[in-house]
Amino acid sequence: MTEEEAKSMGDLFPDLGPEAPVISGIAYDRSEALATVRGVPNEPGMAAKVFTELATAGVNVDMIVQAGASVGTADISFTVPEAAVKQVQNTLLDKQDVLGYHSFDVNTNVGKVAVVGVGMKTHSGLAAKFFQALSDEDINVLMISTSEIRIAALVPLDQLNDAVKALHTAYGLDADQIEAVVYGGTGR
């Protein structure tokens, strides 16, 4: 790998000066669903099995969190486009013997909100500001996903508008600035 190939997004697009905002916009998605597969055997290859079955069924998975339990099982939570909920349910029901989980549930009353901007990796405090803004509005974060150009959180759907407004205010974005609306979990 050459030195040029090894550069991160923050290296390639550094801050343009004190006037340039690091956060350039807010993206949100109302069409998310949160699925949780409970009691999956906590052993190598189980996450691969779960996501292989979903991929075979044509399900597009976005955010993923796995939490292990001390009893040898894990819970795997992930988001999918709301339109894929029936496929997820059918796949999980059909493959329960293969996957060996105890139960699953799906919550469609969630939404994703994200701040996006180039150079986020080189600026400290952006995540703190994101979560403080949501906390100040008593918005509970259900899941977190980050990259070099994005911080995203899954929140209760009835609090999504408040989350978008809180983040606009926190990052000093003008209300007339164009937002990036993401449909069906395609905002990766």
Side-chain angles (χ1 to χ4, degrees):
M1 182 181 293
T2 67
E3 184 178 323
E4 187 65 29
E5 291 172 327
K7 287 187 177 180
S8 70
M9 289 295 286
D11 294 330
L12 295 173
F13 301 97
D15 186 14
L16 300 175
E19 313 295 311
V22 175
I23 302 300
S24 56
I26 308 293
Y28 61 93
D29 184 351
R30 298 181 183 286
S31 62
E32 292 278 314
L34 172 63
T36 301
V37 183
R38 301 186 188 285
V40 176
N42 194 5
E43 57 191 49
M46 287 311 300
K49 285 183 182 179
V50 170
F51 294 111
T52 297
E53 294 296 346
L54 292 168
T56 301
V59 175
N60 183 19
V61 175
D62 186 12
M63 304 167 86
I64 301 169
V65 171
Q66 178 174 317
S70 60
V71 294
T73 64
D75 293 344
I76 301 175
S77 296
F78 52 93
T79 62
V80 297
E82 192 172 355
V85 165
K86 199 66 173 163
Q87 284 175 287
V88 170
Q89 291 171 327
N90 290 341
T91 300
L92 292 175
L93 287 171
D94 187 49
K95 300 298 181 179
Q96 184 168 11
D97 291 342
V98 174
L99 300 175
Y101 65 85
H102 294 294
S103 64
F104 76 89
D105 56 76
V106 177
N107 180 359
T108 58
N109 291 314
V110 296
K112 180 172 57 177
V113 62
V115 295
V116 292
V118 176
M120 290 174 59
K121 185 177 180 181
T122 61
H123 289 77
S124 62
L126 297 175
K129 184 178 284 192
F130 182 98
F131 295 110
Q132 188 62 55
L134 297 181
S135 174
D136 289 347
E137 296 299 318
D138 291 324
I139 297 170
N140 189 34
V141 173
L142 306 172
M143 190 178 281
I144 300 165
S145 175
T146 64
S147 74
E148 289 184 323
I149 62 168
R150 179 183 79 146
I151 302 169
L154 199 69
V155 300
L157 188 58
D158 63 353
Q159 294 182 312
L160 184 60
N161 287 344
D162 293 337
V164 171
K165 289 177 188 174
L167 293 171
H168 264 280
T169 301
Y171 290 104
L173 298 172
D174 297 328
D176 60 353
Q177 184 168 344
I178 297 172
E179 299 167 345
V181 179
V182 181
Y183 295 98
T186 59
R188 289 182 276 283

